[in-house]
Amino acid sequence: MRDALELARGAAREGDVPVGAVVLGPDGRTIGRGRNTRERDADPTGHAEIVALREAAESRGEWRLDGCTLVATLEPCTMCAGAIVGSRIERLVFGAFDDKAGAVGSLWDVVRDRRLNHRPEVDSGLLAEESTALLQEFFAQHR
């Protein structure tokens, strides 16, 4: 989570919402990193989780990320939750809950929907206070 928080700080320095994510391979090594790049790249899919999943898939040479863990500073949105399910991530760990767009328990619970073909294990609240503080500081400066 510390690596994801540092990536989030990098996003904030570039004017993007401070969210960071890393994908850990089955052996615990980082195989994908991402931070929000929507503003920088003018890309609506430039969410930290999507960027990290793309890098991890490229690193593995396949789209299936079986046995991998995604660690994100913020609860994933519906797009990212769908990508997590679709990529077959085994475990999702996130920091802060997102009451406005969260899709892993706050507004929806996409990753635990029994109608889907894959449901990752979920752990939430890791370094949530630090993740929340980054977001609050960012939005206070941009209002």
Side-chain angles (χ1 to χ4, degrees):
M1 183 61 81
R2 295 265 179 229
D3 289 344
L5 284 163
E6 189 54 39
L7 289 162
R9 288 182 191 95
R13 285 190 293 273
E14 292 186 353
D16 267 293
V17 176
V19 178
V22 295
V23 176
L24 306 174
D27 62 359
R29 289 184 307 131
T30 299
I31 60 170
R33 290 179 170 82
R35 64 184 186 200
N36 275 4
T37 61
R38 290 184 309 167
E39 298 298 330
R40 185 191 76 190
D41 297 345
D43 178 2
T45 67
H47 289 208
E49 300 94 330
I50 300 295
V51 174
L53 289 169
R54 285 179 181 148
E55 188 174 291
E58 185 175 337
S59 170
R60 287 186 100 182
E62 64 176 322
W63 63 268
R64 287 179 191 85
L65 299 176
D66 298 316
C68 295
T69 298
L70 186 138
V71 179
T73 59
L74 182 65
E75 177 184 3
C77 69
T78 53
M79 175 180 66
C80 295
I84 290 164
V85 170
S87 67
R88 311 301 194 267
I89 285 286
E90 183 174 316
R91 182 172 176 232
L92 166 65
V93 178
F94 69 89
F97 280 91
D98 185 350
D99 295 335
K100 295 182 180 179
V104 185
S106 289
L107 293 180
W108 300 280
D109 204 348
V110 173
V111 300
R112 293 185 191 104
D113 190 322
R114 295 198 178 278
R115 296 169 292 183
L116 298 175
N117 63 341
H118 178 73
R119 287 179 300 284
E121 175 187 335
V122 176
D123 293 305
S124 58
L126 182 63
L127 298 178
E129 297 82 13
E130 196 167 337
S131 297
T132 300
L134 270 176
L135 290 160
Q136 289 173 338
E137 181 181 317
F138 176 82
F139 287 114
Q141 294 174 359
H142 288 83
R143 288 192 176 125

